[in-house]
Every structure is written in C-alpha cells, then in structure tokens.
Amino acid sequence: MTATEWALLVLLSLLWGGSFFFAKIAVAALPPLTVVLARVWLAALALALVLRWRGTAWPRDGAVWRAFVGMGLLNNLIPFALLFWGQTVLSSGLASVLNAMTPVFSLLVAHVLTADETLAVHKIVGIGLGIAGVVVLVGVEAVSQANPAFLPILACLGAALSYGLASVFGRRFKRLGIDPVVGAFGQVAATSLMVAPLVLAFAPPWRSAMPDASTWAALIGLALLSTALAYVLFFRLLATAGAVNTSLVTLLIPVSAILLGALVLGERMSGPQAGGMVLIGAGLIAIDGRIGAWLRAGSRRSGA
C-alpha cells in the first residue's frame, strides 16, 4: 500500500476504535437503543447531504432497498444494539477485543453458507487461536451466568457473529452494482426506520433526562466520525487498496479503542484480558496469512 493508504487505514482504525469510546460515554446517560437511533439517524442525514453534494440520485429499486434492510439489520441494528448494551457493563477496550472476533465468524459463516470459501490451514489455525482467546477472556470474566459480565460478553460476541453474517450478505451489493456511498447511506437510513419504533416502544425519549454536553459530543462523534466518515474512508480504501489490505484495520481497532479507553476513561485491562487479546490478535494475523507468505518467500529466496 502507499503511504496515503496506510495513513487512511490508521485513521479508519481510530474512527472505528473511537466508536467504542464514544459509545461508552453515551450509554452512561442514554438507553442503548436510543444511542443506536442517534448514531444511524445522524449518519444517514450526513450521508444524504454527501449524496446531494455529489449529485447522486437515491436508488428507487425495491430489490436494492430490500438489500439495504437486510444489511441494516445485520450490519447496524443487531450489532450496534448488542455492543452498546454490552458496554453498559464492559469496558470499551474489552468490547473492542471481543468484536475483533468478527473475521473468525466471517470465515465460519462463509464456509457454511457459501460454496467458494475454503478453510486453508492458516485460517483454521487463526480460528483456533481466536476461540482460545475468547476462552481465556470468558474463563476469567464470566465463569458462571451469575457473573454480571457473562451476558454482556455473549452480547458482544453476538454482535461479531452478526457482522460475520453481514459480510456474506453484503456480497450482493456488488452484484446489484450499488455505489459504495449509496450503500452506506441506504443501510443506515433503513436502520433508522427499523430502530425508531423500537425506541418508541422500549426507550421513549421523554423518559430519559436531557443529555449533557459530553453525551451530545459523544453521539455526534459516534454518528459523524465513527459512522458517516468511517464508511466513506472504508469504501475508498476498498477501491484503492483492496479488501485484503483494508481488512488489516481489524488488527488496529482494538489498539485504538484500548488506548482511548486508558487515556481518557481511565480503563485498565487485567492480565488474562491482555492474554486473550494477544491470542485473538495472533489468530487474526494467522487468518490474514501475509506474514506466513512473507516468511515462506524469504525462506525460498535464502534457499536459492
């Protein structure tokens, strides 16, 4: 990748790592579903303005909007709600580490639901390391259902599974020829329509106190920086650096989230949590496969 692409990748990891930081602040004052609504509604508004500025028409095809609803459900509504609820108990850093299991679930879901995804040896090793990392985390944090962290940890893992399902479902966007920014707008707009009645039913805004300045800042950061801007950067990287290079952001997001949580929120990770994070990170590196390929290439060159 070029230096610009590396810079964009690091910036994207900061934006998505920052989503855990912003969410931790927001859920301290507002119900998780309300935070979901604020995130997707503000992001949809911002992306609609981007489309208008570009002169891009909104799609009107029913099949396209059905795809938006499916993607909004799997890639936004379910994982956002689960992660935000989980963060009412868990630290932002721990939630980001659990969410780093997304590539593991993506591989497993693709292997089960598609015919073109094979599990190479390095991917199987990566899956094993990722699962071992979760076992280390859960073994300490949630040894029984009586532990208050048990269900929040399951919720964060459920969010990662939903993201894995979304990665397979999202393949149809390419077949439909949907512009990336249009796709980003469509899924957050569809999510806004789906989550609004849930908020009215289970978390009516009039039952919550008026958010203070820090909560409003967190909501705006979550929507405009960690959603709208992050989507634009993500799709640009996909177009220029490719999907494989862009997937490296998964390794960087927990680092960003943990640093922000430690520096601003005063969060600390225990030894077992750090050990679980290292195992999950090693699993992601194994799944990526590049380091192994570089080592094999170097070995062949030295042997020659």
Side-chain angles (χ1 to χ4, degrees), residues 145-173:
Q145 294 188 30
N147 191 309
F150 180 78
L151 290 179
I153 285 176
L154 288 185
C156 291
L157 291 175
L161 174 59
S162 187
Y163 281 133
L165 291 166
S167 70
V168 174
F169 183 88
R171 295 182 180 187
R172 68 190 61 198
F173 277 57

Side-chain angles (χ1 to χ4, degrees), residues 126-230:
I127 290 171
L129 287 170
I131 293 173
V134 171
V135 169
V136 170
L137 286 172
V138 174
V140 175
E141 292 294 329
V143 293
S144 72
Q145 294 188 30
N147 191 309
F150 180 78
L151 290 179
I153 285 176
L154 288 185
C156 291
L157 291 175
L161 174 59
S162 187
Y163 281 133
L165 291 166
S167 70
V168 174
F169 183 88
R171 295 182 180 187
R172 68 190 61 198
F173 277 57
K174 185 175 182 180
R175 295 196 301 268
L176 291 169
I178 299 173
D179 177 271
V181 180
V182 172
F185 162 75
Q187 61 176 295
V188 291
T191 308
S192 299
L193 297 176
M194 288 187 285
V195 74
L198 296 177
V199 170
L200 292 176
F202 299 106
W206 53 86
R207 292 185 183 175
S208 301
M210 179 63 68
D212 58 17
S214 63
T215 303
W216 276 113
L219 290 175
I220 292 171
L222 190 60
L224 301 187
L225 299 179
S226 297
T227 307
L229 178 58

Side-chain angles (χ1 to χ4, degrees), residues 27-195:
V27 298
L30 296 170
L33 281 176
T34 303
V35 179
V36 174
L37 178 61
R39 178 177 188 176
V40 295
W41 186 83
L42 290 172
L45 178 60
L47 289 168
L49 293 175
V50 171
L51 291 178
R52 184 174 180 83
W53 172 72
R54 289 174 53 187
T56 304
W58 295 3
R60 300 182 183 276
D61 190 301
V64 171
W65 278 100
R66 286 192 293 273
F68 287 158
V69 169
M71 198 64 172
L73 182 67
L74 295 173
N75 203 49
N76 293 329
L77 178 52
I78 292 175
F80 289 176
L82 290 174
L83 283 171
F84 295 166
W85 180 78
Q87 283 192 254
T88 60
V89 175
L90 304 178
S91 69
S92 60
L94 180 54
S96 72
V97 171
L98 292 167
N99 190 60
M101 284 292 290
T102 294
V104 174
F105 286 122
S106 297
L107 280 175
L108 293 174
V109 169
H111 180 69
V112 172
L113 298 182
T114 67
D116 59 345
E117 186 70 42
T118 58
L119 289 180
V121 173
H122 67 89
K123 293 181 179 179
I124 295 173
V125 171
I127 290 171
L129 287 170
I131 293 173
V134 171
V135 169
V136 170
L137 286 172
V138 174
V140 175
E141 292 294 329
V143 293
S144 72
Q145 294 188 30
N147 191 309
F150 180 78
L151 290 179
I153 285 176
L154 288 185
C156 291
L157 291 175
L161 174 59
S162 187
Y163 281 133
L165 291 166
S167 70
V168 174
F169 183 88
R171 295 182 180 187
R172 68 190 61 198
F173 277 57
K174 185 175 182 180
R175 295 196 301 268
L176 291 169
I178 299 173
D179 177 271
V181 180
V182 172
F185 162 75
Q187 61 176 295
V188 291
T191 308
S192 299
L193 297 176
M194 288 187 285
V195 74

Side-chain angles (χ1 to χ4, degrees), residues 91 94 136-137 140-141 267-278:
S91 69
L94 180 54
V136 170
L137 286 172
V140 175
E141 292 294 329
E267 297 176 348
R268 295 292 182 269
M269 295 196 77
S270 66
Q273 289 175 353
M277 180 184 69
V278 168

